[in-house]
Amino acid sequence: CSGGGTGGDQTGDIMEASAEGDEAFLNKFSRQNAAFGAEVTMKMTKMRALVVGCSGVAVEIVKNLVLQGLGAVTLIDPKPAKIQDLGTNFFLSEADVGKPLADLLVPKIQELNPFCNVKTAPALNAEVVQQHSVLLICESMPLNDLLKWNEYCRTLLPKPVAFLYVRTGGVFGNVFVDFGPSHVLVDANGQAPMVRLVESIELGPEALVRLSIPDGQAPGSLPEGCYVEFSDVQGCDGIDSHQEVSPCGEKVTAWKISSKSDDPVNSIRIGNTSGFPAYVSGGMVTEKKVGVPYPFKSLAETLKDPGMPFDSMVGTDMINFGSELQSHVLLYAALSLEAERGAAVGEADVAAVVAKAKDLMSSKATDVEADIDDGFAAKFLRHFHTPLQPFCAFLGGVCAQEVVKVAGKFTPIPGWLHFNALEVLPAELPTDTQATGSRYDSLASVFGHSFVEKLQSLKYFMVGCGALGCEFLKNFALNGVCCGPNGLLTVTDADRIELSNLTRQFLFREHNVGQPKSKAASAMAQQMNPAMQVRALEMFVGPKTEDSFNDDFWLSLDGICNALDNMEARFYVDDQCVKYERPLLESGTMGPAGNVDPVVPFKTHTYRDGGQADEGGGIPMCTLRNFPHLPDHCIEWARDQFELFFVKSVKQLKKFHEDPATFISEIGSSTDMTQSIFEVRGLLSLLNAASRPSIESAGQTAFDFFHLLFRDKILDLTAAFPADARIIDPDTKQDKGLFWSGHKRFPDATAFDVEKETHWRFLAASTALFAAMLGAVPQKQEGDNTWCQEFKRKAWAAALVQKLKVPEYVAGGVNTDGDATAGGVTSGVKADSKAILQGLLQQLQGFAGQPLPALEEADFEKDDDFNYHIDFITRCANLRADNYHITNSDFHKVKLVAGRIVPAIATTTAAVCGLVMLELFKLLQGKNTDGFRTRQIGLAVNTYTSFEAQEPRSFSSGVEKKVPRAEELPPDAFDDAGKIKAEYVLEEAYASYPEKHSVWDKLSVPTGTMTLEGFKDWLAKEHKLKLRNWSFVLGWKRVVDEENKEMRVPVSSQIYPPPVSIDAKLLPPLTDGQADAMKKIQASAAIPPAQKMKYVSEWQKAKKSGKLPESTGQEIRPEMTLKDILALMEVKAEKALQDGSIYPKWGKAISDLAGRRFWVIPSDQTPDCATMDAEPLDVRYMARIEVPLT
């Protein structure tokens, strides 16, 4: 599109081009930067990795590093590829067998990242090592050589080369890490610095600072001994520039904090503040990450003293505590024995290796003291040189993350990590393990060829095909999952590939951008294993697609694998797995953290049983509206303005155009007049622009909104609450202090200044978006990076401003809902909001009948850096921040927050998906509950916790004690200790049916043709339950509370007792008077006594309308079948959806009955029943009910 101004000079163009290049780079790594930070990503581009051995684990490591922006990688491995390598190396095909591994891999690795320099070297030597940042040994190497190269790397000057050694065999994996003696750790956990508000600062030595938690921030204490910075403090001049010497000997502008045992909560102690002026008000404390020395021991030192698990050694096995020490000494012994013999060890050498291990311990060659279990040793050595693909994937993620840690972020493994998954091994050794010259030989050597055939014949459903999905597809292909003639993997994902996907969704290349994820990824997986049977779909999985993913589909599956990135979809699939009694492989990642949750029918709890995950705390509405105090508050507010300006306003304009009178009436009766005034002023500006759509008129609207937001609303607020406003208790008249105190910042209104970049860029972004809305410029097309690019020049904005008129200030109101202190302010000017709104509505009436252009809503897209969406939100947020004297945010922070971007990295994804494969192997073996593992991993801080899966939660009858509030009780209700006496505690017994049932259990109704009356009798006769009430959930409406948290409120329809149905024939004539009509109704034997008042009410309505009520045909009757009742509920649910009673995003709770075999009433929606005992009990917990439909 074109604008109305002139361009800048050549230097400006060059800077703009450079900036756009940086933007593209940062956009590509946006999810990674959310976890690492852009600085670490940039450091990655300068790293060079030397990889010795192109084993399966090596390829996994390299894949992860190259995706994450590694600058260069050199491969050393002249060995020819073997057919067995195809089971762990996803880059190989059968045509590659016999060719040198390293040479084969270079072009294929290069495809992952064209900016990474990928090459080979003929052999490992000192000259090659010196050219790299890190050396990774990923193949068998004599122990003496390992020791030699480790010592060489750690003593190199001026800077050591990081050294990693990784090996895997069978169900064991071992990693050694050494970054040298002078490594500096800057950020131990990678978490965002903690922010707290200052409430007070003492003056004196070891000064106490009291803090409070900002709105929307998680609770918690600052880490003991950390460093903090002060900002925006009134008083204590100089406290923000205080310097201390860091542990590395550098001066840092920060305070080191401490605490005392009797300190109050939410407080810290800092150094001596005696020399500072007194504290006045305000201020913020921000945690500062400061580098600390993190020296490593050498390989030789750690072989001797590896530390203790969960202390100085990374712990990985909480179930078999100490197994890490057995693994360590057995590995040391095996490597020593191989060095002595010059030959590999294996299962036949168990006795010799155990003897060597005992000798190492007795001779003090190692400080480890462990009881070596012969059975453990046999399992350790049986497949010592046989890699399993899931272990390659898991260790590939772990080791690649260690390379990232060379940059100083995240805590490195302090020496050794020893990991095992003994629980996945077959209960009995398989007999069909002989090699057959197959790509699956390594897998079969551990589990048997018959196990491989089971994998090949699986019918599985993978939901999602992003980062997790790509890894799963690769793992499935390499392990033969769904790769037999009877196997089938159904993959679905409605998304298409974006540029930012390429750094972690490794099956996609730049030429795939814009293609369907499921189809592109499936095609790549079939290249890895042509035998793979895949059906790729482009569909969401949810209530709206149950006509496609129907009963027949779910029942045809052997299991489901989730590869999702949101809780709502996860819970839906979990519910389906319970409904159809199918196993679910659930997993997820959040930056460097990940989880694995196997869900097995009748053996484990469900994913939902694990509890509702927190997807982020809400920021109170009053904070967003009037009292922001953090940059994130401004960003969230700006995101809402985007929705209001470019989405909601279009809907409002169309609604006004269709029915001006109704629209004006609804706005005039709104309870939030402040917001109505704002929206009507905006609509008036837009209607003016719509009468003559042009860039200039769009610019005027943008200019109007600038003044509305950053001048007028601030003037309204400061008029209502002046800087010296005080809070007066309305009852006691006590002065509670200044209104503008604590987290409340007094704002200043803004005047537009084209010399300020935030100002003119807001104008530019808003103008572009309003112009697109009005049709004054073409809509932006995907991939067009030049759209409205002339708007990005200051000269263009300056020329436009010359044509614009500064709007007059129109006083509005202030919405203080949610702020308990606002009502106590007696000073300030309160605008007459009602009169102001009525005046604006009169102006609006003048536009009735005006034709509108074809208006286009904006479809928010966070990953297009050239559509002005994030640009608008950035400028809007920073203008808001300037109003309130809050630190500005850069484009990429705004993108992360406003775009709700979840931190995602290739390393965690690879590690998690490898672990999930182990759970799949257990499923096929029919393992018991104690064989499955729920895992939580944290690659940032080396946490690898695993627990035996929990059995399904059972529901039992019990007694609930209800303790009254103390203030409601008489004085004699308390004993001498001040506790409430037992006789004042209410006890309420309740029942569970069936007793000790789980979510997997169900009550099966014999037939769907059973009537409602028959259903009631069935519950009584078969289950000794009395049906009392049944309200059927049709869907849910959305409610947002004052804490800005979203709630689902069920919308129901009564089934039992059947709602009163009026028989119009029993109503008196409408010609009767009211007294006569009431007498006739009371005297009628045909009208049940309990319904007589209902008949009176209906007659009165009919009398008023002059028309008797007609039957809707939707009355519930006792003789109706359950099938017919469910069909009626489906009709009512559709009606509720259409009339807006239920939230469209969540859809109907019942749909597509015609294509179903049965309907399940979930356990939380079952009818209200009571036991039929002598003393009936409420049934609080009831199993789900299945009603046949065929």
Side-chain angles (χ1 to χ4, degrees):
C1 62
S2 59
T6 59
D9 60 20
Q10 189 176 9
T11 303
D13 293 342
I14 294 171
M15 291 176 66
E16 191 73 45
S18 174
E20 289 182 4
D22 290 341
E23 296 287 327
F25 174 82
L26 292 169
N27 180 39
K28 181 176 180 180
F29 289 98
S30 60
R31 274 66 173 175
Q32 178 175 308
N33 290 341
F36 290 173
E39 182 181 357
V40 171
T41 297
M42 293 302 294
K43 287 182 177 179
M44 287 287 295
T45 64
K46 296 176 174 62
M47 283 190 199
R48 302 170 64 86
L50 176 60
V51 180
V52 181
C54 293
S55 59
V57 69
V59 171
E60 292 280 354
I61 295 169
V62 171
K63 173 255 295 178
N64 296 330
L65 289 175
V66 172
L67 286 174
Q68 293 181 163
L70 186 72
V73 60
T74 303
L75 306 176
I76 300 176
D77 196 339
K79 295 190 301 295
K82 300 179 295 184
I83 188 67
Q84 290 80 6
D85 292 335
L86 273 64
T88 57
N89 191 324
F90 49 85
F91 278 135
L92 299 179
S93 66
E94 291 188 15
D96 295 325
V97 174
K99 299 175 183 177
L101 273 169
D103 292 339
L104 283 170
L105 296 178
V106 168
K108 299 179 181 182
I109 292 171
Q110 190 71 71
E111 286 183 8
L112 296 175
N113 182 352
F115 301 103
C116 179
N117 182 12
V118 186
K119 63 181 182 180
T120 65
L124 179 62
N125 57 54
E127 183 181 354
V128 174
V129 172
Q130 291 173 17
Q131 298 169 7
H132 293 82
S133 316
V134 56
L135 170 63
L136 297 109
I137 308 295
C138 304
E139 67 176 7
S140 295
M141 179 179 283
L143 180 56
N144 287 339
D145 287 346
L146 286 172
L147 292 166
K148 178 187 75 173
W149 286 114
N150 172 244
E151 193 63 27
Y152 179 79
C153 288
R154 65 183 278 105
T155 56
L156 264 177
L157 295 175
K159 186 177 181 181
V161 170
F163 178 93
L164 278 84
Y165 166 63
V166 57
R167 68 164 315 281
T168 181
V171 294
F172 292 83
N174 317 94
V175 177
F176 172 73
V177 178
D178 178 7
F179 294 170
S182 56
H183 181 68
V184 174
L185 176 59
V186 177
D187 185 350
N189 56 26
Q191 296 175 359
M194 198 175 283
V195 178
R196 292 293 180 262
L197 302 175
V198 177
E199 296 294 330
S200 66
I201 302 174
E202 289 183 352
L203 297 183
E206 295 184 281
L208 183 74
V209 180
R210 290 179 180 267
L211 308 171
S212 63
I213 301 172
D215 293 332
Q217 294 284 301
S221 300
L222 285 156
E224 182 73 12
C226 78
Y227 291 78
V228 298
E229 293 178 288
F230 285 85
S231 59
D232 301 326
V233 175
Q234 302 298 311
C236 288
D237 298 347
I239 197 168
D240 57 351
S241 57
H242 170 81
Q243 290 191 324
E244 297 199 9
V245 178
S246 77
C248 291
E250 299 174 340
K251 279 195 173 184
V252 293
T253 303
W255 294 81
K256 185 175 182 179
I257 72 167
S258 61
S259 64
K260 294 182 178 180
S261 58
D262 57 348
D263 283 347
V265 295
N266 291 326
S267 68
I268 59 174
R269 288 189 180 272
I270 56 176
N272 192 344
T273 59
S274 301
F276 293 106
Y279 171 79
V280 177
S281 66
M284 192 174 296
V285 160
T286 304
E287 180 186 5
K288 183 166 188 171
K289 306 290 179 102
V290 173
V292 297
Y294 195 90
F296 282 81
K297 294 179 180 179
S298 68
L299 176 59
E301 291 173 307
T302 57
L303 282 173
K304 177 174 173 56
D305 180 14
M308 286 296 294
F310 299 100
D311 184 14
S312 51
M313 177 200 282
V314 174
T316 60
D317 194 345
M318 301 182 71
I319 297 171
N320 304 296
F321 186 78
S323 68
E324 299 95 338
L325 296 178
Q326 286 196 72
S327 293
H328 182 83
V329 74
L330 286 170
L331 176 63
Y332 191 3
L335 293 176
S336 299
L337 205 59
E338 286 186 338
E340 292 172 8
R341 293 180 176 181
V345 298
E347 184 176 12
D349 302 298
V350 171
V353 172
V354 169
K356 184 67 174 178
K358 292 178 178 179
D359 178 61
L360 290 170
M361 290 188 288
S362 63
S363 67
K364 297 301 181 182
T366 180
D367 295 337
V368 173
E369 295 180 1
D371 294 327
I372 305 299
D373 178 81
D374 288 346
F376 185 93
K379 293 170 183 175
F380 183 84
L381 291 164
R382 185 171 294 131
H383 306 290
F384 191 64
H385 290 287
T386 303
L388 289 178
Q389 193 278 330
F391 264 78
C392 292
F394 168 67
L395 294 173
V398 171
C399 291
Q401 187 67 25
E402 291 307 299
V403 174
V404 173
K405 294 175 184 179
V406 173
K409 190 158 190 170
F410 308 123
T411 304
I413 293 171
W416 285 97
L417 176 144
H418 299 291
F419 186 87
N420 76 73
L422 290 168
E423 75 282 352
V424 77
L425 289 172
E428 297 182 3
L429 288 176
T431 57
D432 57 340
T433 59
Q434 297 79 12
T436 61
S438 161
R439 64 190 298 153
Y440 307 118
D441 276 352
S442 294
L443 183 61
S445 71
V446 179
F447 297 100
H449 286 285
S450 59
F451 175 83
V452 174
E453 290 172 3
K454 287 182 180 179
L455 286 172
Q456 292 174 315
S457 298
L458 283 174
K459 293 177 175 62
Y460 246 69
F461 183 30
M462 190 176 81
V463 188
C465 200
L468 290 166
C470 285
E471 285 290 326
F472 282 133
L473 276 170
K474 174 256 297 177
N475 295 349
F476 289 166
L478 296 182
N479 288 285
V481 176
C482 303
C483 294
N486 298 318
L488 179 62
L489 177 66
T490 301
V491 180
T492 189
D493 194 313
D495 286 348
R496 298 205 163 218
I497 300 163
E498 299 173 350
L499 181 65
S500 63
N501 300 149
L502 304 184
T503 61
R504 65 199 187 284
Q505 301 176 15
F506 88 104
L507 294 183
F508 306 140
R509 306 292 182 264
E510 291 207 13
H511 68 266
N512 295 127
V513 171
Q515 296 176 3
K517 286 186 175 181
S518 59
K519 294 186 176 180
S522 296
M524 287 291 286
Q526 287 177 313
Q527 288 183 28
M528 295 176 186
N529 191 336
M532 195 174 199
Q533 307 294 314
V534 190
R535 180 169 65 127
L537 304 175
E538 296 180 67
M539 299 172 67
F540 290 106
V541 176
K544 295 180 181 178
T545 55
E546 288 183 0
D547 55 341
S548 297
F549 302 118
N550 54 24
D551 293 350
D552 290 338
F553 172 78
W554 290 99
L555 292 170
S556 71
L557 301 171
D558 293 310
I560 295 89
C561 179
N562 265 353
L564 292 163
D565 61 359
N566 70 88
M567 299 304 299
E568 186 177 339
R570 283 187 168 107
F571 283 136
Y572 175 81
V573 175
D574 183 62
D575 291 344
Q576 298 303 97
C577 289
V578 171
K579 178 179 177 181
Y580 296 102
E581 298 173 6
R582 292 296 183 265
L584 170 65
L585 298 172
E586 178 58 75
S587 58
T589 70
M590 177 69 76
N595 62 279
V596 177
D597 295 278
V599 176
V600 187
F602 302 100
K603 292 184 179 181
T604 74
H605 68 185
T606 68
Y607 185 70
R608 189 181 288 274
D609 285 339
Q612 179 79 41
D614 182 11
E615 293 198 77
I619 302 170
M621 288 301 296
C622 60
T623 298
L624 291 180
R625 277 194 299 257
N626 300 317
F627 310 119
H629 43 277
L630 289 181
D632 284 16
H633 299 162
C634 300
I635 297 170
E636 292 287 359
W637 176 86
R639 176 68 178 85
D640 289 344
Q641 304 315 302
F642 179 94
E643 197 71 18
L644 174 62
F645 285 15
F646 309 115
V647 180
K648 183 179 178 181
S649 63
V650 174
K651 291 181 169 68
Q652 288 181 316
L653 285 172
K654 291 179 178 178
K655 191 173 180 181
F656 169 74
H657 180 68
E658 291 167 1
D659 190 349
T662 301
F663 181 84
I664 290 173
S665 174
E666 290 176 355
I667 290 285
S669 59
S670 170
T671 57
D672 188 350
M673 290 193 183
T674 301
Q675 185 65 15
S676 295
I677 289 170
F678 175 77
E679 291 181 11
V680 172
R681 287 189 64 190
L683 290 176
L684 288 169
S685 178
L686 277 168
L687 285 165
N688 271 313
S691 66
R692 44 184 178 81
S694 66
I695 291 175
E696 185 177 331
S697 66
Q700 183 63 59
T701 297
F703 206 50
D704 291 345
F705 272 100
F706 175 95
H707 290 87
L708 264 170
L709 290 175
F710 310 115
R711 183 194 66 181
D712 297 0
K713 287 183 76 70
I714 302 301
L715 291 174
D716 292 341
L717 185 61
T718 55
F721 303 101
D724 59 355
R726 304 189 71 82
I727 304 167
I728 307 298
D729 188 295
D731 298 322
T732 66
K733 307 305 179 184
Q734 181 182 358
D735 189 330
K736 297 287 188 178
L738 285 168
F739 177 79
W740 294 102
S741 60
H743 69 266
K744 292 188 177 79
R745 292 167 172 255
F746 185 76
D748 290 316
T750 298
F752 187 88
D753 184 350
V754 78
E755 294 300 319
K756 293 182 178 179
E757 183 176 10
T758 305
H759 291 212
W760 71 258
R761 284 195 180 275
F762 173 88
L763 179 65
S766 304
T767 301
L769 294 170
F770 280 128
M773 174 201 293
L774 297 167
V777 299
Q779 293 293 313
K780 184 185 182 303
Q781 300 302 309
E782 187 174 348
D784 178 7
N785 295 344
T786 64
W787 187 69
C788 293
Q789 64 179 357
E790 62 272 28
F791 290 22
K792 296 180 179 179
R793 296 192 175 96
K794 176 183 167 184
W796 179 91
L800 176 64
V801 170
Q802 296 298 315
K803 306 173 186 177
L804 305 180
K805 178 184 176 183
V806 176
E808 292 183 7
Y809 167 64
V810 176
V814 178
N815 185 336
T816 57
D817 289 348
D819 181 23
T821 63
V825 175
T826 55
S827 61
V829 178
K830 304 296 189 291
D832 186 351
S833 298
K834 188 171 184 179
I836 295 168
L837 179 59
Q838 290 305 315
L840 291 170
L841 291 176
Q842 288 179 11
Q843 294 181 46
L844 190 62
Q845 180 65 51
F847 286 93
Q850 173 186 299
L852 286 178
L855 301 170
E856 290 281 347
E857 295 178 18
D859 184 7
F860 178 66
E861 175 51 63
K862 61 184 178 291
D863 287 317
D864 184 344
D865 288 350
F866 302 92
N867 64 5
Y868 287 100
H869 292 188
I870 296 296
D871 199 42
F872 166 83
I873 296 172
T874 301
R875 313 308 166 186
C876 190
N878 287 337
L879 283 164
R880 176 78 161 177
D882 290 344
N883 281 143
Y884 286 88
H885 314 290
I886 297 171
T887 304
N888 279 201
S889 302
D890 64 31
F891 180 92
H892 294 283
K893 175 178 179 174
V894 173
K895 184 174 184 174
L896 293 177
V897 176
R900 314 286 196 268
I901 290 177
V902 176
I905 49 178
T907 49
T908 316
T909 305
V912 162
C913 292
L915 293 174
V916 171
M917 293 304 296
L918 299 177
E919 302 308 308
L920 174 61
F921 290 1
K922 297 171 193 177
L923 274 172
L924 260 67
Q925 297 177 72
K927 296 279 187 179
N928 292 325
T929 304
D930 59 4
F932 292 96
R933 294 289 182 268
T934 298
R935 301 186 189 272
Q936 300 285 336
I937 67 170
L939 300 186
V941 291
N942 311 311
T943 54
Y944 299 91
T945 55
S946 60
F947 304 94
E948 291 181 356
Q950 294 182 12
E951 292 186 347
R953 177 190 174 193
S954 62
F955 297 89
S956 301
S957 303
V959 176
E960 180 184 10
K961 293 186 176 182
K962 296 183 176 179
V963 181
R965 297 192 326 185
E967 58 267 27
E968 298 173 348
L969 296 172
D972 61 355
F974 303 90
D975 61 19
D976 293 339
K979 295 182 179 179
I980 298 174
K981 294 177 182 178
E983 58 263 33
Y984 286 92
V985 176
L986 303 177
E987 293 189 349
E988 183 178 301
Y990 59 85
S992 171
Y993 190 83
E995 185 66 23
K996 294 187 176 179
H997 73 273
S998 80
V999 71
W1000 297 105
D1001 295 305
K1002 64 187 177 186
L1003 304 179
S1004 297
V1005 176
T1007 173
T1009 58
M1010 179 183 285
T1011 64
L1012 178 58
E1013 190 67 27
F1015 177 65
K1016 175 185 170 186
D1017 294 341
W1018 175 75
L1019 286 172
K1021 293 176 182 177
E1022 296 294 325
H1023 301 286
K1024 302 296 185 289
L1025 297 176
K1026 180 181 180 181
L1027 177 62
R1028 298 191 304 190
N1029 185 69
W1030 185 6
S1031 291
F1032 193 94
V1033 176
L1034 305 175
W1036 297 266
K1037 63 181 178 181
R1038 179 178 179 269
V1039 175
V1040 178
D1041 65 11
E1042 271 300 318
E1043 294 298 309
N1044 204 26
K1045 292 180 180 178
E1046 185 177 74
M1047 298 183 295
R1048 291 165 64 112
V1049 178
V1051 176
S1052 305
S1053 179
Q1054 182 74 14
I1055 291 179
Y1056 186 89
V1060 175
S1061 176
I1062 299 298
D1063 185 348
K1065 296 190 296 292
L1066 300 179
L1067 289 174
L1070 298 183
T1071 54
D1072 284 358
Q1074 181 161 324
D1076 291 338
M1078 290 183 68
K1079 288 179 183 178
K1080 291 180 180 179
I1081 291 172
Q1082 293 297 332
S1084 173
I1087 301 175
Q1091 297 182 11
K1092 290 185 184 294
M1093 290 309 297
K1094 177 72 174 175
Y1095 269 77
V1096 170
S1097 175
E1098 289 299 319
W1099 182 87
Q1100 289 173 336
K1101 291 179 183 177
K1103 177 81 171 178
K1104 188 175 183 179
S1105 66
K1107 186 178 180 182
L1108 288 170
E1110 296 179 2
S1111 172
T1112 63
Q1114 295 188 354
E1115 296 84 6
I1116 299 291
R1117 303 180 304 280
E1119 66 273 14
M1120 284 182 74
T1121 67
L1122 295 180
K1123 284 176 61 175
D1124 289 341
I1125 290 172
L1126 290 172
L1128 177 56
M1129 294 301 106
E1130 182 178 13
V1131 171
K1132 289 191 172 187
E1134 177 62 28
K1135 183 176 183 298
L1137 180 66
Q1138 295 302 322
D1139 66 22
S1141 300
I1142 60 180
Y1143 189 40
K1145 178 183 173 183
W1146 295 329
K1148 300 174 291 185
I1150 181 169
S1151 62
D1152 303 306
L1153 283 180
R1156 298 184 186 275
R1157 296 187 188 183
F1158 55 85
W1159 182 258
V1160 171
I1161 303 167
S1163 56
D1164 61 345
Q1165 298 175 24
T1166 50
D1168 176 23
C1169 296
T1171 63
M1172 298 178 69
D1173 304 323
E1175 294 186 12
L1177 297 176
D1178 289 341
V1179 178
R1180 182 174 295 184
Y1181 304 112
M1182 189 171 181
R1184 58 196 166 105
I1185 300 174
E1186 186 176 284
V1187 181
L1189 297 177
T1190 56

